[in-house]
Amino acid sequence: MADDSDLEKTEAASGRRLEQAREEGQVPHSRELATFILLMVGVTGLYVLGSWAGHRMMQIVKLALSFERKLAFEPRGMGLVLLELSTDALLTVAPLLLALVLAALATPFLMGGWIFSTKSLMPDLSRLNPMQGLGRMFSTHGLAELVKATLKAALVGSVGVWVVWRERDHLFALMLQPLEASMDDFSSLVLLSTLLIVSSLGLLAAIDVPYQLWEYHRKLRMSKEEVRQEMKEQEGDPQIKARIRAAQREMSRRRMMTQVPNADVVVTNPSHYSVALKYDPDKAGAPIVVAKGMNLIALNIRELARENHVPILEAPPLARALYAHCELEQQVPAALYTVVAEVMAYVFQLNHWIAEGGLPPEQPTGLAVPEGMDPAAGEAAPPLPD
């Protein structure tokens, strides 16, 4: 059984966990940030386009209220006038509406990006559970929402009171101005006050965004057991993988051993390393390593070579160099061409003597490898395992 500590959600969410959350429609979002951006874009748009848009709307209203008498008895004509004035009004507010739409679409990119998920649209009867609803009300999230609502009310109220108190003389002076001038001043004052109030909401958004990110990642935390289970699902059970690798090594070793009877010569250490070479001038320009091993595998290679009458040559430096610098089914490196050529020449002479008779060839001795090729130069050879 897993320890209790393994079941506690103390680990950060993995990439797979975050991806699954996105697939289910769970992404970090901040209502305060969305509200602030939309209000700021709207107020800024009114500040920039307000005078022009107000003037155009006044012209549209004037045209709508002043028409020829005969149009009142022509429904088709009145319909065309209404369509034309409605189109003008829509074109007047279109820049502001377009800015608001773009702001609403761009806001999600600041948090988690766009996401389209049908899972969040599926009915969930657990949402109707009153006990769960009460739990959400008295949870950390509910407390945070209460704090935010209180801060928002206090912030907006404070800024509103400050603006009214600051502009109190200006407000009283409006009553003494002509109607048209006072309306222009009053509109500018309302717009400025709204801009200041909306700007104050930016402070609340700056606090809410880090909190929402922290809350989102806190909810997706994983326990150590979940992390281990996810690794098993993605990468496989380590024990099974170890058994697979062991089976693959065994299959590779058996496949390698089947090449020993076809080798031309086996170069040995004599007891620690064995390397089987085969030379086929039609397939390669140099001998190829068909099998190699150390300790027990080296012993098996030598025994298999004796059973199949494959020549065995003791040349410790060459055996170590071939084992260290040659891979299976690869040609010997160019640095060893000369010394390997001596070995192959001896093998050809030995095969000729076996086939034709005569004087046996002398076994080459003192086969030296280039400096730096012998990994055991100046070191003791590895011992055989017990």
Side-chain angles (χ1 to χ4, degrees):
M1 294 181 61
D3 295 337
D4 291 341
S5 59
D6 291 347
L7 300 179
E8 295 179 359
K9 297 183 180 297
T10 58
E11 306 300 312
S14 63
R16 177 55 183 161
R17 182 64 173 268
L18 294 174
E19 185 63 27
Q20 288 177 341
R22 288 184 61 85
E23 292 174 358
E24 296 174 359
Q26 299 180 25
V27 292
H29 65 279
S30 171
R31 287 197 296 253
E32 307 305 328
L33 178 63
T35 301
F36 167 70
I37 291 178
L38 286 175
L39 289 177
M40 182 58 70
V41 170
V43 173
T44 304
L46 288 175
Y47 185 80
V48 174
L49 303 174
S51 178
W52 170 80
H55 180 72
R56 278 187 58 88
M57 293 301 293
M58 288 179 61
Q59 295 296 327
I60 292 173
V61 172
K62 288 181 179 180
L63 291 175
L65 296 178
S66 60
F67 53 88
E68 296 181 4
R69 182 176 180 277
K70 64 179 181 179
L71 283 178
F73 303 97
E74 297 181 6
R76 180 178 177 81
M78 290 293 291
L80 293 176
V81 171
L82 178 61
L83 178 62
E84 181 180 357
L85 295 178
S86 301
T87 303
D88 291 341
L90 181 61
L91 293 176
T92 301
V93 298
L96 180 59
L97 295 178
L98 180 60
L100 291 174
V101 171
L102 293 178
L105 295 177
T107 300
F109 279 106
L110 301 178
M111 294 290 290
W114 284 353
I115 184 170
F116 300 94
S117 175
T118 58
K119 291 185 178 180
S120 58
L121 300 178
M122 299 299 292
D124 186 1
L125 296 180
S126 63
R127 297 176 181 175
L128 302 178
N129 189 339
M131 299 304 297
Q132 291 188 2
L134 291 174
R136 286 192 295 267
M137 288 177 59
F138 296 100
S139 64
T140 305
H141 178 73
L143 179 61
E145 292 297 324
L146 177 61
V147 171
K148 285 193 300 181
T150 304
L151 287 176
K152 186 187 299 184
L155 196 61
V156 171
S158 300
V159 174
V161 170
W162 176 78
V163 170
V164 172
W165 182 257
R166 179 175 177 272
E167 301 293 335
R168 62 186 185 282
D169 294 336
H170 192 184
L171 290 173
F172 288 123
L174 292 178
M175 295 185 292
L176 304 177
Q177 295 180 4
L179 178 61
E180 185 174 352
S182 63
M183 289 300 297
D184 290 340
D185 287 348
F186 182 74
S187 300
S188 301
L189 181 60
V190 170
L191 191 59
L192 177 62
S193 303
T194 306
L195 184 61
L196 291 174
I197 293 174
V198 172
S199 299
S200 67
L201 295 178
L203 176 61
L204 191 60
I207 298 174
D208 185 59
V209 168
Y211 169 77
Q212 293 297 337
L213 292 173
W214 174 82
E215 179 70 10
Y216 173 76
H217 289 283
R218 186 188 66 83
K219 289 182 179 179
L220 295 181
R221 283 179 185 171
M222 305 172 64
S223 65
K224 294 180 180 179
E225 180 63 25
E226 289 175 334
V227 173
R228 286 194 291 266
Q229 186 64 30
E230 185 179 88
M231 291 181 62
K232 287 182 180 180
E233 293 175 356
Q234 292 184 343
E235 303 178 4
D237 192 327
Q239 295 180 353
I240 296 177
K241 291 177 64 179
R243 288 197 292 269
I244 292 175
R245 286 194 296 266
Q248 290 174 340
R249 288 194 296 268
E250 180 63 21
M251 292 175 61
S252 177
R253 187 183 67 82
R254 292 179 179 177
R255 187 166 55 250
M256 178 185 70
M257 288 301 186
T258 61
Q259 301 299 320
V260 174
N262 301 322
D264 292 321
V265 64
V266 173
V267 183
T268 67
N269 192 33
S271 57
H272 301 296
Y273 296 95
S274 294
V275 180
L277 301 176
K278 182 173 181 59
Y279 178 52
D280 187 350
D282 295 332
K283 295 183 179 180
I288 295 176
V289 176
V290 294
K292 69 174 186 175
M294 60 184 299
N295 297 335
L296 291 179
I297 297 179
L299 181 61
N300 293 334
I301 292 175
R302 289 194 298 274
E303 291 178 353
L304 193 58
R306 292 192 187 96
E307 293 174 0
N308 292 274
H309 308 290
V310 177
I312 299 176
L313 177 65
E314 295 183 5
L318 178 58
R320 292 191 295 265
L322 289 171
Y323 183 87
H325 301 288
C326 300
E327 299 295 334
L328 291 175
E329 304 300 329
Q330 298 295 323
Q331 299 182 24
V332 299
L336 297 176
Y337 277 1
T338 301
V339 64
V340 172
E342 295 185 42
V343 173
M344 299 309 299
Y346 164 72
V347 171
F348 294 152
Q349 294 173 9
L350 183 62
N351 292 335
H352 183 270
W353 172 71
I354 293 173
E356 303 293 339
L359 295 176
E362 294 184 2
Q363 183 172 328
T365 58
L367 294 174
V369 298
E371 184 178 358
M373 296 295 290
D374 185 0
E379 299 179 3
L384 282 169
D386 295 336

